[in-house]
Every structure is written in structure tokens, then in C-alpha cells.
Amino acid sequence: MSRTSKAVFALLLTLLLAGARAEDTLISPDKITGNTVNYKTATVEEGTYEKKVSANAAAYYPSRVNVRYEGAKARFVEYRVRRGSEVKKGDVLAVFTVETDEVAIAERKLQIRRAKEAREERLSQLEAALASLRASLRDAQSADDAELLSLRVTRAELELEKYDFQSARELASREKALSELMATYENQQILSPIDGVVDDIQYLRDNEAVYNGAWLMTIYDPTEVLFSVKDEQGQTRLGMRVTVSVGPNNSRVTGVGRVVASFNAVPDHPVGKLVLVRVTEYDEDEVKSLKALTRPTAEYVPVHLENVLVVKRAALTLYGGRYYVYKLAEDGMVSKRYVNYAGGTAQTGAWLLGGALPGETLIAD
């Protein structure tokens, strides 16, 4: 066999062997499927959009009384209560040792004594003058003299009566001031003015000097309670419905109330960022089971819209300051469309103003 014939024979043998191997690896026609892509999708719906806000709250007691020391200079002895103590009206809150000001007392007594002496001397002078006029009236020689002396007697009587009244009132005032001063030295205990709970309390060292008007503590009435909530974005309004929850994690108690005071109640004159909520709907038995109003939280809905376009927030993409979506048609075609996005989160869903229609399917990757 020639060299050419051998080459042709080898090529034919290679092709036959390759065909045999291909028959073993070919896929059966009935097992061939089309090339498809599985997407996560979201449907545009016409429904309700709500924005909920959760915030920490704090118990606020509007009925509060500041307890102050009233009296002469004193020295602190002890407190009979501490922060959180429940007290009844008349309970002893604090004890002081009062330092008596002997100089002030002596000055007041001296003023009273001199006022009495001056009053008695002046009354004697006025009474003597009146007696002299009355004697002259009895000895009057003519009707004209008698009439003139009678007028003088009347005036002297009025002057005596006026001085007697005014000097007696001034003397009584001085004696009252002395009595009040003496009473301050007897004020060694501070009593609770109301039933309530001690809140803030002033720290005092043993034997520390305390002066008239010094603030000691605050007592609040626990039967009247509001809840303060910090509204950073100014989304609350008077009368807004608010849900308040209190208590430990395993036994939270929930009530419903309304905003009764707000920093933005007066337009263009906001002061602070706190609002006050009064809870009016709650289970009394559940509240009584709580030892304290611990860990209060508030939840409210500043935005509630009905019959608007909503879709999953994951269906929107932001690029270059604009939002767009990918629409998936029934035939599997995908198209990119820009939408007017009004707001929303993964929890609330996205609120759309345009760019999509109810029932359309969007790709939500």
C-alpha cells in the first residue's frame, strides 16, 4: 500500500471512531429544555400606605410640688426619705437644727418696747390737750367762743382716735413680725405638703448650713401621668393617636392615647422638640400589675394614605439621583422605566406617584 493510501485509511478510521463516541454522549431530544431566567418579582398594587414611627418615651408627672426650707438659718441633720419614697401629707421629710439669732430677736423686742413708750407718751399728750379744750369750752363766755371751742374739741377727739388706731396697728404689726421670727426657730422638721412620690432630692452633707428658700426635693402625684416623646422631625400634631407600651419585655402593657401638648402647636413658634401624650384607653388590671412604668415606648402614624400605588421597596433602584424599575412583561421581555418615588422603607413599601400602573410586575432583586 502506498503512503497516500495509508493516510486516507487512517483518516477514515478516525472519523468512524469519533462518530461512535458522539452517539454515546448526545442528549435525547425529549430532555432538551428552553433557556429561562427566574426573577424575584413584585406587583404594583393600589392600596394603603402608612408610615409608622417608633420612639422612646418617658413618664412625665404634671402635678409636682417643690419642697423648700423656710425659716432662719439652720444646719442639716437628716432626710427621712429618699428618691422614690412614697409619702403621705404630713410625713416628716427632713430634720434641721435651727440656729437662733439672738441679736435679731433683741432688736425686734427693743423696737416694740420703744414703740409702746412712744405711743403711751403721745396718747397722754393728746388726752391732756383734749381735756384742756373741754375745760375751756365749759368756761366759754360767749356763744361764739363756745362754738369755736366746740369745733376744736371735735378735731382733737378725731386726732386722738386716729393716732390711737394707727399706732395700735403698727404695734400689732411689729409684734406679729417678732412672733413669725420666733416661729422660724421652732421649724426643725419639714413635712410633706401632699400625698405622692419623692422625685429629685438635694444632696446635703451632715451639719451643712441651709438658708431660707433653699430647695430640698420634688414630690409628684403618681395618679396623674403623661408621657413625653421627642419628635425630631416634627411629625406629630395635637390630637394625634399614639400607642404607648410600658413594662418588662415578657409582660408589656399597651394603651392608646392622644397628643395633648406639642412644641409645634403654634405655627412658626416651635419651642423644643417634646410632645406630651395622655393615655386614655388601657386595661386597669394590667397597669396595676406593673411595679413601675419602666421602658415606655411610643408608636404613631404621621402618614396614612389610601388608594395610592405601592410596591416592595426592593423593586426600586437609585442611580444619578433618579429612581427606576425593571418591568417584566408577560412574554418575558424586561424594560427599564423611571418612576416618581415619594417615599417608603422596606417595612412600609414604596409609594409611587407615577411611572408604573396597578398590576404590573417588577423585578425585585
Side-chain angles (χ1 to χ4, degrees), residues 54-61 225-229 243-248 252-253 279 290 292-299:
S54 296
N56 292 328
Y60 173 75
Y61 300 93
V225 59
L226 304 177
F227 291 92
S228 63
V229 181
T243 301
V244 178
S245 299
V246 297
R252 298 285 284 175
V253 175
V279 176
L290 295 175
L293 302 179
T294 56
R295 301 179 62 251
T297 58
E299 184 177 85

Side-chain angles (χ1 to χ4, degrees), residues 102-209:
E102 299 295 343
V103 174
I105 295 175
E107 288 179 350
R108 298 287 180 93
K109 290 182 176 180
L110 179 60
Q111 290 173 359
I112 292 173
R113 188 181 68 189
R114 288 177 176 176
K116 287 182 178 180
E117 292 174 351
R119 179 174 184 273
E120 292 173 357
E121 181 179 357
R122 181 57 180 163
L123 285 175
S124 297
Q125 293 173 353
L126 293 175
E127 290 173 351
L130 178 59
S132 177
L133 288 173
R134 286 174 176 171
S136 298
L137 177 59
R138 289 193 299 267
D139 297 336
Q141 301 298 319
S142 64
D144 291 339
D145 291 343
E147 183 177 358
L148 179 60
L149 290 170
S150 177
L151 291 174
R152 290 178 178 177
V153 167
T154 302
R155 185 174 65 179
E157 290 174 343
L158 292 175
E159 185 178 359
L160 174 61
E161 183 178 354
K162 178 181 177 182
Y163 178 77
D164 186 29
F165 172 77
Q166 290 180 340
S167 61
R169 185 174 64 176
E170 182 180 354
L171 183 60
S173 177
R174 291 177 181 275
E175 291 175 340
K176 180 181 178 182
L178 177 61
S179 298
E180 291 176 350
L181 177 62
M182 297 301 294
T184 62
Y185 298 133
E186 299 173 358
N187 186 18
Q188 297 181 352
Q189 294 181 337
I190 304 299
L191 307 181
S192 176
I194 62 170
D195 295 350
V197 178
V198 176
D199 193 3
D200 296 332
I201 188 167
Q202 176 66 46
Y203 172 76
L204 294 173
R205 298 183 300 273
D206 290 342
N207 205 39
E208 181 175 344

